Amino acid sequence: MVPSARSADAFDDSTIVTARLVLRRPRPADAERLAVLANDRAIADNTALIPHPYTLADARAFIAMAGGSGAKPVFVACLAAAPDVLIGSAGLDGRGATGGGELGYWVGAPFRGQGFATEMAHALVDLAFAGEAERLSASCRVTNDASRRVLAKCGFQWEGVALVSSVGFGGAFPADRFRLDRGTWQSLRAWGSARSVAGPDPMRLAG
């Protein structure tokens, strides 16, 4: 069941439950674990806003930002079978009445290669289109084949290549740009076969 449409502010205290994960807003108690996972050169080199090294102060600043009034929907992902085990983070930047939001995600090194990034991305895509979004965009470094596969599994379509500034990389890198509109998302959900991994279908939204 797709969650009913709500404004971005209504998701402040929400928790998304998927087949294997719980996505929730980050809490102060997450800071140490978050700092350890995100202090990864590979994450910094493939994202726009994550520095390297990633310190405890960076984690605390991220958590404070995510909990601020009117903050964009940002979640940490934990294992449903072990809720204290944080595996990564995902978020939507710039969600608005007409869409145009940007999907972002990362998974810590011990948890890669298990389909968790796709599961997180599916959940955030469904969340956005269950609300008022009309389209989503996403990007990945041209050398990041794993992220490209995640976006393909979610139905994103390639639009071109652009330079993306990266704090951790220390400059700009070429990135593939992707787009997913509401009509395509609705068609993929209707066809069903597009969901090739265990994911939030049906998705339960609590909170």
Side-chain angles (χ1 to χ4, degrees):
M1 179 177 182
V2 179
S4 59
R6 293 193 280 178
S7 67
D9 290 344
F11 293 106
D12 286 347
D13 299 314
S14 295
T15 298
I16 305 172
V17 181
T18 71
R20 299 178 295 165
L21 300 174
V22 175
L23 280 72
R24 57 167 175 77
R25 291 304 186 117
R27 304 164 182 163
D30 298 322
E32 290 189 12
R33 178 62 175 163
L34 187 63
V36 171
L37 274 185
N39 188 31
D40 182 341
R41 180 83 258 177
I43 294 174
D45 283 349
N46 286 282
T47 56
L49 300 177
I50 297 178
H52 188 79
Y54 192 91
T55 67
L56 184 58
D58 292 319
R60 287 170 173 163
F62 167 77
I63 291 167
M65 176 277 298
S69 177
K72 62 187 179 181
V74 175
F75 301 85
V76 292
C78 303
L79 295 177
D84 292 333
V85 178
L86 192 152
I87 71 158
S89 178
L92 294 166
D93 190 5
R95 285 179 72 233
T98 59
E102 178 92 4
L103 172 67
Y105 49 85
W106 61 265
V107 174
F111 306 100
R112 292 175 195 152
Q114 302 175 58
F116 288 129
T118 302
E119 194 165 332
M120 291 161 58
H122 273 154
L124 268 291
V125 166
D126 285 348
L127 176 67
F129 286 121
E132 299 175 335
E134 292 298 326
R135 62 188 177 276
L136 290 175
S137 59
S139 63
C140 67
R141 192 172 176 179
V142 294
T143 56
N144 192 343
D145 292 336
S147 188
R148 187 180 296 106
R149 289 192 293 271
V150 168
L151 295 175
K153 290 175 183 178
C154 291
F156 280 83
Q157 299 175 341
W158 185 81
E159 285 195 312
V161 178
L163 287 177
V164 172
S165 296
S166 169
V167 173
F169 181 70
F173 53 68
D176 287 310
R177 295 288 300 165
F178 297 85
R179 173 182 173 136
L180 177 64
D181 60 45
R182 176 180 288 276
T184 301
W185 171 76
Q186 290 173 328
S187 296
L188 291 176
R189 288 188 63 85
W191 295 333
S193 60
R195 296 184 120 67
S196 58
V197 298
D201 191 9
M203 188 178 81
R204 305 191 305 278
L205 181 65

